[in-house]
Amino acid sequence: MIGVDTGGTFTDLVALVGGRIRVAKLHSTRDDPGRAVRDGLRALAIDRRTAGLHYGTTVATNALLERRGARVVLVTTAGFEDVIEIGRQVRPSLYDLEPRRPPPLVPRTRRLGVAERILADGRVERRLDRRAVVRLVEAVLRRRPDAVAVSLLHSYAAPRHERLIGRALAARGVHLTLSHRLVREHREYERTATVVVNAYVGPAMTRHLGTLARAASGGLRVMQSSGGLVTARTAAAEPVRTILSGPAGGVVGAVAAARRAGLGPIVTLDMGGTSTDVSLVEGRLAYRAETSIDGLPVRVPALDIHTVGAGGGSLARLDAGGALRVGPESAGADPGPACYGRGTGPTVTDANLVLGRLVETEFLGGALRVDRGRAVAAIAPLARRLGRSIEDAAAGIVRVATATMERAVRVITIERGHDPRDFTLVAFGGAGGAHAAELAADLGLARVYVPRHPGLLSAWGVLAAETIRDFTVTLRAVEPTQAAVGRHFRRLERTVAREVRREALARRVLERALDVRYVGQAYEVQVPYGAGWRAAFRRRHAALFGHADARRPLEVVALRVRVRGGARRPPDDPLPRRARRPSSIATRRVVFPEGSAPTAVYRRADLAVGWAVRGPVIVCEYSATTVVPPGWRLHVDRTAGLVLERT
Amino acid sequence: MDAVTLAIANQRLAAVAEEMGVVLGRTALSPNIKERRDFSCAVFDARGNLVAQAAHIPVHLGSTPLSVRAAIASVPLGPGDVAVLNDPFAGGTHLPDVTVVAPVFLPAARRPFAYVANRAHHADIGGMAPGSMPLATSIFQEGFRLPPVRLIAGGRPQPEVLSLFLANTRVREEREGDLMAQWAALRVGMDRLGALVTRTGGVRRLARQMAALQTYSAALMRASLARIPPGVYRARDLLDDDGLGTERIPIAVAIAIGRGKARVDFTGSASQTRGPVNANFAVTRSAVLYVFTALAPEPIPPNEGLAWPLRIVAPEGSIVHARFPAAVAGGNVETSQRIVDVLLRALARALPARIPAASAGTMNNLALGGVIEGRSFAYYETLAGGAGAGPGGAGLSAVHTHMTNTMNTPVEALEAYYPLRVRRQAVRRGSGGRGRHRGGDGVVRELEFLAPAEVSLLAERRRIPPYGLAGGEAGAPGRDLLIRGGRARRIAAKASFSVEVGDRLRIETPGGGGFGRPRRRR
């Protein structure tokens, strides 16, 4: 089995061969993302006829973000061709004299209305007649589309008209998306937007996976935004499900690592160059029914990951009112932080370097030269304007960046009814370990955990992920009887059975859930379906919103079925034997919020299981650095993870 | 205060306001609050000065502080107490906007160290027409007027106040649910502020940070004003009418800029009118704060400090500072937009390379209600229009501009819950003004009624179109049609009327003005 994660800079591969782990890290090949994967497979020297490939890809995401998608024709109910252009009629920023929205993915000339009308309860007001379908197919094909999206009003309630159109367009050589098949839910804008994104990225994804499947003949599964895998065939038909899969591998990897370490509930912290992703996992992964990308809503399940614009490359400046701002402007990968040699603006990474929290000689195992002098020079003008020393200014940059991350963690914990004190912060990504302890202290989190190979955690997560298929249908029934809900589930599960057969899943598990709300509310709370779903809803509502009412009638808005399976727990990477008492590679002066202190620097590869030490300590490894401040204790747990706790 | 503490204090206080917004949005009952997010939440210091506000709708920006001050002045508020109010002449804006205010105490403290408040637009607050935005001539016809009174005392809802309130509205369950959601949001805000005191290291330190944040916003505003060439800039624009016979109602402004300050003088604007387009001072203040906030080169935390460098002169008894008992429902939603148009037109003389042409200039308010199978329903929404084109490019189509940013109700949700069928929902092609950059297009929404209903329409820019700038042409004015028995006839844009089963209402909203001289066509 091989796990592959394609990132903006690196493509990582983690392979399990005969119970042993092999890893490869290659530069991503943006023009043809498959090339890095094929090169990696060669580098790992694995027989690709037998190896199953688990693949995290940004092909669909990039096609959308760079607007290099397909020529799409959109079919809607006549009179509603502009739904994707009107959206929810809001502008993205409130105080902006010239607001902008990206133009619709399908121009007006390729949006076709068809005379038909279905009502909210599924009754047909105006039947779609056969001649209209024939004319429609002609009109569609005249526009020479690569992909066709169909989204008729109330199709979730009665899909028959979409099916008629689907049948007529099948076998016409276009990528076809029917809204009731992809998102069987009400709210026409969100559904149509999702269907259009799917069509827009469909042909590119189909081509890409087709090529890659030939390179990995042992089976290809693709990572979705939900953190679960699907077959290449499903991913090609429903590529929108992969659109936010980038950070999903890391979260799945963090959860796998946390489970092995026996950590209980966790908050993941993935700090990258321009932004930081956080998510909360309590027992099981948390999902959102809807996310957005580039201002477009995407209504497919995604891991509940919250992103803020503060990362290692975030730029610091003093604004006209006299406050220090860090981000959202970023030096990005190019020019990058000043200390990397090209940039000149002060970044969070420069500040960490100036404070001694990053070690110049240890970036990428010494392969990346960094220049502390450049970092000092970048921060100096800011320090002058602040009337502070360079170290004080650097400490300020780190504090403001940490406060931004803190706000992100608050959103996913406190704002959703969780007490952060019950959680362990699992830090990965390059810079997470440098800020994790301070962040945990600010929020009162119990401890910090840095898993092994934090720079390869996403590929590890893709490798370890299970296969997941999600199915939904809108119901909108007030106080339905248990029998009625059961009947609807059985109907939905007939579709599920048909679809899932194709995934060839071993050890299949079926999970049922309901989207429930009080009658009159507009947002739903998801609860597992069972005899006690009403009570479960009230408990969850009370936890989220502080109140619940046993008398108020409930409305079941949607039914959800999730099929999981096929996960194989990868064996642990055997721990290499090491010296019991590692020796530090250096002792250096490091600035902490409480003052500066001489601090020992260790290489992670030298640390043995069971070893413990009091902070301040710095642990360096290939693509990450962990800072253990004074007042914290570090120990290496039985999974060789770093555990930081307050003393 | 040092730059780092300031940045962190800003983050933390803004987070409190935002979290209140999350709770209110999720727990409210009515689609208008939940789906369209027609509300805002804010934190105030011990004297009732705005410290942080979650950005949802600009029209609330300058007006919430006046509510808090009115509540403090008229109701003694102890721990666990909540005041409620909507009186436009005592801290409110228009009657459907119901504001709740609570003091925040530390345990055993005698004085509050902060206040929290939120304001939400209720779909109905009584009066002569469902939706409470009728063609009225006085506040008494518009709905139930509530001066600041105690809704919650010592943590307990006051049944007398609550039942008085609910008896005067059309859909009681919804009103009660929304009010309770507003209270829940206040409680979360109080909890978070209490925790913040501990984290900050005491009430005194937090108070200093609250004060420093206001100074900070004031400094940002002064820096922004300093970029405008000094001078006096004048402009004038007109409201179509007040719906009751007074037409072409002028709003005039003279903006004097100099030394990092601005004096905004509305002298010369029309007197208040009989119809419901009067703005009270809170609304006018919001419009002024919105324009200068949007003009700033970087985000300014919304708090009291914004207003320090701005002096607003609005003669009492005028259309921009109405006196009791004027009808004001449209002041908040319509006149506020025109005030923005006037301010931007004046500023365009100072900053021709930054100011866009006029946007739709109306919120196209539609309120309706009735009784079906013994149950009442009330429905309210606003429709987008075109944005004005600017020096940077074409205007957006089908988007809410300036003083509002509320979402539309999905057709599939609307049809499932109301006796309505949507026949058309489209961009109104060609309605944007021509120009080097074209104005954005408005929208067309056509509704069919499946039950008899009372309808109120309150809209503007049906006669006097949104202006173009720098040689760009005006946007197309809006129009409104009632289609009965297959025959369409134009109706007034400010009207209350009855509809029958099968009637259709078609609203076509204005496009934005164009910017720059259009290329000549051969």
Side-chain angles (χ1 to χ4, degrees), chain A residues 91 117 188 319 406 517 520, chain B residues 29 216 402 411 415 417:
Chain A
R91 58 191 188 274
R117 189 65 148 89
E188 67 281 359
D319 70 21
E406 181 200 317
R517 62 188 183 192
Chain B
L29 266 187
Y216 166 61
H402 299 319
V411 172
E415 294 189 348
Y417 299 108

Side-chain angles (χ1 to χ4, degrees), chain A residues 296-381:
Chain A
L296 294 167
V298 171
R299 203 149 171 93
V300 293
L303 289 181
D304 190 1
I305 295 169
H306 186 69
T307 303
V308 287
S314 292
L315 288 162
R317 68 188 171 91
L318 191 66
D319 70 21
L324 184 65
R325 295 200 190 205
V326 179
E329 298 80 8
S330 167
D334 189 26
C339 63
Y340 287 9
R342 284 201 303 272
T344 50
T347 66
V348 174
T349 298
D350 294 311
N352 274 316
L353 187 63
V354 164
L355 297 174
R357 301 151 61 107
L358 296 177
V359 182
E360 343 13 349
T361 53
E362 298 293 315
F363 278 69
L364 297 185
L368 179 65
R369 313 292 307 166
V370 297
D371 185 345
R372 188 171 184 277
R374 287 186 64 93
V376 170
I379 294 174

Side-chain angles (χ1 to χ4, degrees), chain A residues 115-117 124-129 160-161:
Chain A
E116 65 84 41
R117 189 65 148 89
V124 177
E125 185 193 58
R126 174 161 188 187
R127 193 164 296 283
L128 174 62
D129 72 56
R160 69 175 83 155
H161 288 174

Side-chain angles (χ1 to χ4, degrees), chain A residues 15-21 256-257 259-261 452-453 460 463-464 568-576 638-640:
Chain A
L16 268 179
V17 185
R20 301 296 293 264
I21 301 271
R259 201 165 286 156
R260 263 202 306 276
R452 288 182 77 192
H453 310 302
W460 185 265
L463 174 73
R568 258 171 283 167
R569 185 167 169 267
D572 296 347
D573 191 7
L575 306 169
R638 58 187 167 76
T639 65

Side-chain angles (χ1 to χ4, degrees), chain A residues 78-83 85-101 108 111 117-120 123 125 152-156 185-191 317-325 386 388 392-393 395-397 399-400 403-404 406-407 410-411 414-416 442-443 476 517-523 541 544-547 552 555 557, chain B residues 2-4 6-8 10-12 14-15 18-19 22-23 25-31 34-35 37 55-58 61 184 187 192 199 216 219-220 223 290 293-295 298-299 301 344 354-356 382-384 389-394 396-413 415-417 421-427 429 443:
Chain A
F80 298 87
E81 296 87 348
D82 293 339
V83 159
E85 190 171 346
I86 298 171
R88 298 301 296 273
Q89 81 180 13
V90 291
R91 58 191 188 274
S93 53
L94 216 43
Y95 300 100
D96 188 348
L97 291 177
E98 290 195 69
R100 299 267 171 258
R101 281 192 307 216
R108 178 65 185 89
R111 295 181 224 144
R117 189 65 148 89
I118 288 163
L119 304 179
R123 279 179 301 145
E125 185 193 58
L152 305 180
L153 270 190
H154 299 297
S155 65
Y156 59 89
E185 296 181 54
H186 72 164
R187 294 193 184 107
E188 67 281 359
Y189 170 58
E190 287 77 1
R191 186 178 67 247
R317 68 188 171 91
L318 191 66
D319 70 21
L324 184 65
R325 295 200 190 205
L386 287 167
R388 298 294 195 88
D392 277 356
I397 294 171
R399 274 191 66 203
V400 173
T404 305
E406 181 200 317
R407 195 160 164 189
R410 289 181 69 86
V411 166
I414 298 167
E415 287 192 15
R416 305 205 177 143
D442 282 346
L443 282 159
R476 276 195 318 227
R517 62 188 183 192
Y518 287 117
V519 170
Q521 287 185 322
Y523 289 91
H541 197 275
L544 279 172
F545 311 124
H547 68 96
R552 256 168 82 183
E555 179 180 15
V557 177
Chain B
D2 76 273
V4 175
L6 197 56
I8 292 171
N10 181 29
Q11 292 252 19
R12 290 186 177 158
E18 254 164 44
E19 192 178 349
V22 169
V23 172
R26 284 195 192 148
T27 46
L29 266 187
S30 64
K34 305 178 65 81
E35 290 264 11
R37 312 187 65 71
H56 296 298
I57 329 181
L61 178 63
R187 290 199 304 268
R192 298 300 179 257
R199 289 199 61 189
Y216 166 61
L220 284 173
Y290 161 76
T293 303
L295 205 57
E298 61 188 333
L344 289 178
R354 288 200 54 205
I355 304 292
T382 60
L383 301 184
L396 276 183
S397 294
V399 66
H400 262 318
T401 47
H402 299 319
M403 298 305 282
T404 190
N405 198 34
T406 51
M407 289 187 180
N408 51 16
T409 311
V411 172
E412 290 174 349
E415 294 189 348
Y417 299 108
R421 198 154 295 156
V422 181
R423 288 301 174 193
R424 188 151 177 243
Q425 163 103 317
V427 173
R429 303 285 161 191
V443 300

